[in-house]
Amino acid sequence: MKKLKKVEVQIVNAFVDNDKGGNPAGVVLNADDFTNEEKLKIAAVVGLSETAFVSKSNVADFKLDFFTPKRQIAHCGHATIGAFSYLSQLDMIANPNSSKETIDGKRDIMINGELAFMEQKAPVYKDVSDKKKIILESLSLNENDLPENAPVLLVSTGNSFIIIPVLNTSVLEKIKPQFDLIEKISEDLDLIGYYVFTQSEHSGRDVTTRMFAPRYGIKEEAGTGMAAGPLACYLYDKLNFNQSKFLIEQGNFMQTPSPSLIYVDLVLEDSKIIKLMAGGKGISVSKKVFEI
């Protein structure tokens, strides 16, 4: 008879806004002995959008594997911020300049006070204008809901998202996602999902957003660092925002609102993005203990 393994999962709300809201992620420490099949089972039991499994690494400070309840993904912003915030709270990070190993290579991590930041690659853009009509249909929107001279575009800084600008917060709020259609489009284009945005109504904040990723079992998410990075690049490169630091809100228009705040710092060389750091604050809220 197979011996059951004990699992301890810390639940950390990442990207909290004034210590409220945020996006909950599972964090499992000392995960070296779990197989990928077991990690997928654990993520399903935890039931959050992503769970991070922290193991030893020969090339970085920690190895992180990310699982949704449906599959493994290469990177996850809020689970990274949740994991490193928790590790920092446990005094397990000796140097503010840290690092993670993932299935997609090594990335820098920076701890700055209560904030944790993760490295993302320089942006890659792809024209999806031929699918614009069906993308809008999948959100129950039309051309009149979009601003002028702001393209619908696929952007990747490690994970791919469709970036979709809308006119105002009223349009953002009225979105009625058709999840089956979003999932099909995401499968066709190999996306994590959609990131829809408009100008924030809050002073000092740049944009407010919504994220849909049904392909990965996430209908809507409260805070997505791996989408905020591509959006900040889009704002700089495509909408000519003359700044390298962005404050991005998310989660305000969910059925159950969970306000999140994501910081993005673009790293520029001769005015060109060479990489970026996206981050925020994580707060431990609870623990789950079970056996598999």
Side-chain angles (χ1 to χ4, degrees), residues 76-95:
C76 174
H78 82 283
T80 296
I81 300 308
F84 276 87
S85 293
Y86 184 48
L87 290 165
S88 180
Q89 291 161 21
L90 295 176
D91 294 324
M92 294 177 65
I93 300 177
N95 190 314

Side-chain angles (χ1 to χ4, degrees), residues 73-273:
I73 60 173
H75 295 284
C76 174
H78 82 283
T80 296
I81 300 308
F84 276 87
S85 293
Y86 184 48
L87 290 165
S88 180
Q89 291 161 21
L90 295 176
D91 294 324
M92 294 177 65
I93 300 177
N95 190 314
N97 296 312
S98 188
S99 58
K100 70 173 180 178
E101 175 193 355
T102 74
I103 59 173
D104 193 32
K106 182 182 174 183
R107 297 286 186 276
D108 290 337
I109 303 291
M110 183 179 68
I111 306 297
N112 183 2
E114 295 182 315
L115 304 179
F117 287 81
M118 60 181 181
E119 179 189 5
Q120 295 177 32
K121 297 178 179 179
V124 176
Y125 300 102
K126 182 179 177 182
D127 179 21
V128 289
S129 55
D130 60 324
K131 294 188 179 292
K132 183 178 179 181
K133 184 178 179 181
I134 194 169
I135 289 168
L136 293 179
E137 181 185 335
S138 70
L139 295 169
S140 306
L141 299 178
N142 58 56
E143 288 276 359
N144 294 329
D145 295 314
L146 306 187
E148 293 182 2
N149 302 316
V152 173
L153 205 59
L154 188 156
V155 189
S156 175
T157 59
N159 289 344
S160 295
F161 292 86
I162 295 289
I163 303 296
I164 303 162
V166 296
L167 274 175
N168 50 45
T169 53
S170 296
V171 175
L172 194 65
E173 187 172 12
K174 81 171 185 177
I175 287 170
K176 290 184 173 58
Q178 299 181 38
F179 292 112
D180 288 346
L181 188 51
I182 294 173
E183 183 170 1
K184 182 181 183 306
I185 294 165
S186 299
E187 194 72 44
D188 290 345
L189 295 174
D190 194 20
L191 308 173
I192 299 296
Y194 291 3
Y195 210 41
V196 192
F197 78 94
T198 194
Q199 184 175 352
S200 172
E201 296 177 343
H202 298 133
S203 177
R205 311 286 177 85
D206 293 294
V207 292
T208 186
T209 64
R210 299 181 72 178
M211 201 287 276
F212 308 103
R215 181 188 179 203
Y216 283 83
I218 305 164
K219 286 191 171 180
E220 184 166 0
E221 188 166 66
T224 314
M226 288 304 299
L231 174 55
C233 295
Y234 173 101
L235 295 173
Y236 179 84
D237 280 335
K238 304 302 177 181
L239 297 192
N240 300 314
F241 277 53
N242 187 27
Q243 62 194 75
S244 61
K245 294 180 182 293
F246 294 86
L247 278 179
I248 295 173
E249 298 174 334
Q250 192 177 327
N252 292 314
F253 300 100
M254 297 176 68
Q255 192 169 13
T256 303
S258 184
S260 298
L261 185 62
I262 306 167
Y263 299 73
V264 181
D265 293 347
L266 303 180
V267 180
L268 306 175
E269 196 171 273
D270 297 328
S271 300
K272 183 179 174 65
I273 302 168

